[in-house]
C-alpha cells in the first residue's frame, strides 16, 4: 500500500500516473460526476487529486458537459489517445525532418568549403568572444601529446580556474604533457597556488616569470590561440611556420622561468622578489605610470608602489626623478662590468 506522500507525487512521475489510474478507474465506475464526487472516495491528498484530475482533462479522458460545465463525462480511451498522440508524433516527425534538412544543407556547404580550400586560407581565423571557449574545449579534446600555455596577468580568477579544471585534468589523465608559464605574482594567490599544486601532482610542469608576453595556448604543436590586439576575440592559428615561431618564443621563456613555488618558499628563497624588483627597475626607465608597470607585472598598483618605495630606500633616492638617474647609472655600471667580464673570458686561454 502506497503512502500519501508517494501518491502526492513526491517520488516522481510514476506516483502521479498511479494517482491518475485510481482517479480514472473511479470515474469509470461512477459515470458522469463533478470533480468533488469523482475524487471523494479516493483517499488521495488534495494536491495529488487535483493534479491527477487536471491531467486527465488535458489528455481528453474527462470532458465537461456543454449544458453543465461542472459535470464531467468520460471519453473513449482509444479516441482520447489518438487525439493526444497524433499531434505529438507529427511534431516529432517535423522536428526530425528539420534536423535532416539542416544536416543535408551543411553537408552540401561542407563540400563547397572543401572545394575552395585551395583558393583561401584557413591558417589564421578570427574567433569571436562567444566562440573561444567551445573551440578551446574541442582542441583540448583532440589534443594527444602536448599543450603549452602562457598565462600572463598574475593570479588567475577563480571562475577561470574552475572552467579550466575539467579540461586540464582530462588531458593529463590521457597522458598529455602540460607546461604552463605564469607571472611571478601568481605565486601569491592562494587559489592559483592550490590549482597549480594539483596540476603538478597530476604531472604538469609550471614555471613563472617576472614579465610575460600575451596569452598563448598551443595544442600538439599544430594549433595555437592568441589574443587579438583589440577586443575580447582571439586568433586561431594553424599555419605551421607561425605555430613553430610561437613554440620557439615559449621555449625561450620557459628556459628563463623559475619552477612554481609557494608564496612562503618564494619569500624564503628571495629569488622571485629580487626578480620582480629587477623587472620594476627596468620598467621604471620606460614607463612613467605605476599602473602601467603593475599591469606588465600582473600585480596590484599598491604592491608596485611598495616595491618602488623599497628601491628608493635602498638607493637613497630623494624622489622619482633621482631614482631614475640612480637606476640608469646602476644599469650602465652593470653593462660595463658585463662587457669587461666578457672580454676577460675571451682573452683567457
Amino acid at each position: 500500500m502506497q503512502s500519501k506522500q508517494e501518491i502526492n507525487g513526491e517520488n516522481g512521475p510514476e506516483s502521479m500516473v498511479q494517482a491518475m489510474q485510481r482517479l480514472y478507474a473511479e470515474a469509470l465506475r461512477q459515470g458522469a460526476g463533478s470533480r468533488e464526487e469523482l475524487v471523494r472516495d479516493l483517499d488521495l491528498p488534495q494536491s495529488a487529486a487535483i493534479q491527477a484530475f487536471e491531467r486527465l482533462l488535458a489528455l481528453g479522458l474527462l470532458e465537461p458537459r456543454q449544458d453543465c460545465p461542472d459535470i464531467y463525462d468520460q471519453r473513449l480511451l482509444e479516441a482520447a489517445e489518438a487525439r493526444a498522440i497524433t499531434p505529438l508524433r507529427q511534431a516529432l516527425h517535423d522536428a526530425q525532418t528539420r534536423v535532416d534538412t539542416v544536416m543535408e544543407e551543411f553537408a552540401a556547404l561542407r563540400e563547397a568549403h572543401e572545394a575552395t580550400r585551395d583558393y583561401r586560407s584557413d591558417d589564421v581565423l578570427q574567433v569571436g568572444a562567444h566562440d573561444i571557449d567551445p573551440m578551446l574545449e574541442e582542441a583540448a579534446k583532440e589534443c594527444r601529446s602536448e599543450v603549452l600555455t602562457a598565462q600572463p596577468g598574475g593570479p588567475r580568477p577563480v571562475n577561470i580556474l574552475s572552467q579550466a579544471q575539467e579540461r586540464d585534468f582530462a588531458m593529463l589523465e590521457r597522458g598529455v604533457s602540460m607546461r604552463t608559464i605564469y607571472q611571478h605574482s601568481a605565486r601569491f594567490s592562494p587559489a592559483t597556488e592550490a590549482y597549480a599544486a594539483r596540476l603538478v601532482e597530476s604531472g604538469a610542469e609550471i614555471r613563472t616569470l617576472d614579465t610575460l608576453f600575451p596569452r598563448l595556448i598551443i595544442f600538439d604543436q599544430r594549433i595555437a590561440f592568441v589574443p587579438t590586439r583589440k577586443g575580447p576575440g582571439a586568433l586561431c592559428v594553424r599555419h605551421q611556420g607561425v605555430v613553430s615561431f610561437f613554440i620557439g618564443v615559449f621555449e625561450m621563456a620557459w628556459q628563463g622561468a623559475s619552477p612554481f613555488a609557494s608564496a612562503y618558499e618564494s619569500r624564503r628563497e628571495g629569488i622571485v622578489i629580487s626578480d620582480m624588483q629587477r623587472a620594476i627597475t627596468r620598467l621604471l626607465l620606460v614607463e612613467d605610470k605605476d599602473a602601467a608597470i603593475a599591469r606588465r607585472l600582473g600585480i596590484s598598483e599598491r604592491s608596485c608602489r611598495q616595491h618602488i618605495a623599497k628601491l628608493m630606500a635602498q638607493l637613497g633616492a630623494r624622489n622619482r626623478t633621482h631614482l631614475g638617474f640612480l637606476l640608469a647609472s646602476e644599469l650602465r655600471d652593470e653593462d660595463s662590468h658585463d662587457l669587461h667580464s666578457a672580454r676577460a673570458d675571451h682573452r683567457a686561454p
Side-chain angles (χ1 to χ4, degrees):
M1 186 71 179
Q2 287 184 305
S3 68
K4 287 187 177 183
Q5 287 79 9
E6 291 174 322
I7 294 295
N8 200 26
E10 293 181 11
N11 284 350
E14 291 184 4
S15 298
M16 178 50 59
V17 170
Q18 291 164 353
M20 291 166 60
Q21 284 180 314
R22 290 173 59 179
L23 177 57
Y24 184 58
E26 184 65 24
L28 292 174
R29 281 191 292 269
Q30 285 191 33
S34 65
R35 185 177 74 174
E36 290 73 17
E37 291 172 337
L38 292 174
V39 304
R40 181 175 52 204
D41 298 326
L42 290 182
D43 190 29
L44 284 173
Q46 184 178 13
S47 60
I50 291 174
Q51 290 179 45
F53 184 86
E54 295 297 332
R55 190 63 189 142
L56 291 181
L57 275 178
L59 292 175
L61 290 167
L62 293 176
E63 186 176 51
R65 286 183 175 178
Q66 292 184 355
D67 59 339
C68 188
D70 292 334
I71 300 299
Y72 296 88
D73 284 321
Q74 296 75 48
R75 295 188 61 197
L76 185 65
L77 180 66
E78 290 77 4
E81 182 177 12
R83 187 172 181 178
I85 294 296
T86 299
L88 294 176
R89 283 178 174 163
Q90 185 61 48
L92 183 61
H93 176 268
D94 293 344
Q96 185 61 55
T97 300
R98 289 196 296 273
V99 170
D100 293 340
T101 299
V102 172
M103 290 181 66
E104 290 176 2
E105 291 171 343
F106 272 105
L109 294 170
R110 189 173 294 108
E111 290 181 6
H113 183 272
E114 295 299 324
T116 60
R117 182 177 292 276
D118 293 338
Y119 305 101
R120 58 186 170 78
S121 175
D122 285 341
D123 290 338
V124 180
L125 296 177
Q126 180 85 32
V127 182
H130 60 286
D131 290 328
I132 294 174
D133 286 340
M135 290 190 69
L136 284 174
E137 293 292 339
E138 187 64 25
K141 289 177 183 177
E142 294 178 357
C143 186
R144 291 294 176 267
S145 60
E146 179 187 57
V147 58
L148 308 176
T149 308
Q151 301 283 9
R156 308 297 298 153
V158 175
N159 62 317
I160 298 298
L161 294 176
S162 299
Q163 291 175 9
Q165 178 171 314
E166 183 176 350
R167 181 177 67 214
D168 289 348
F169 285 102
M171 286 191 288
L172 289 169
E173 288 175 4
R174 292 200 306 270
V176 174
S177 68
M178 180 179 296
R179 286 186 290 159
T180 297
I181 305 177
Y182 291 136
Q183 284 188 263
H184 283 334
S185 51
R187 298 174 184 241
F188 303 94
S189 162
T192 307
E193 180 186 342
Y195 184 72
R198 292 196 299 271
L199 284 178
V200 171
E201 287 176 2
S202 299
E205 295 182 80
I206 300 179
R207 296 184 180 183
T208 64
L209 276 173
D210 49 4
T211 56
L212 191 58
F213 42 81
R215 189 183 187 202
L216 171 65
I217 305 176
I218 306 172
F219 295 98
D220 284 341
Q221 300 188 6
R222 63 180 183 82
I223 181 172
F225 291 87
V226 295
T228 56
R229 293 187 63 182
K230 294 182 179 180
L235 295 178
C236 174
V237 181
R238 290 187 173 88
H239 189 288
Q240 286 308 296
V242 178
V243 173
S244 295
F245 173 79
F246 288 151
I247 293 172
V249 171
F250 180 92
E251 294 294 354
M252 290 182 63
W254 181 260
Q255 294 302 318
S258 304
F260 194 99
S262 69
Y264 169 73
E265 292 171 327
S266 298
R267 290 190 180 95
R268 183 188 63 192
E269 295 168 2
I271 298 173
V272 168
I273 300 299
S274 59
D275 274 357
M276 292 184 70
Q277 288 181 343
R278 282 194 293 270
I280 290 174
T281 298
R282 294 194 302 270
L283 292 172
L284 278 169
L285 298 176
V286 295
E287 294 283 3
D288 294 329
K289 298 185 180 300
D290 294 345
I293 297 174
R295 276 196 306 273
R296 294 277 295 273
L297 296 175
I299 61 177
S300 69
E301 193 171 346
R302 179 182 178 185
S303 295
C304 182
R305 287 188 180 128
Q306 290 175 345
H307 282 295
I308 293 172
K310 290 179 182 177
L311 284 172
M312 292 180 67
Q314 290 171 5
L315 297 177
R318 296 186 297 274
N319 50 48
R320 290 288 289 268
T321 303
H322 188 208
L323 175 63
F325 172 79
L326 294 175
L327 290 175
S329 299
E330 280 215 346
L331 288 176
R332 282 197 301 271
D333 292 342
E334 287 181 6
D335 291 341
S336 177
H337 174 75
D338 292 341
L339 180 60
H340 286 305
S341 297
R343 287 174 177 171
D345 293 339
H346 180 70
R347 288 194 298 267

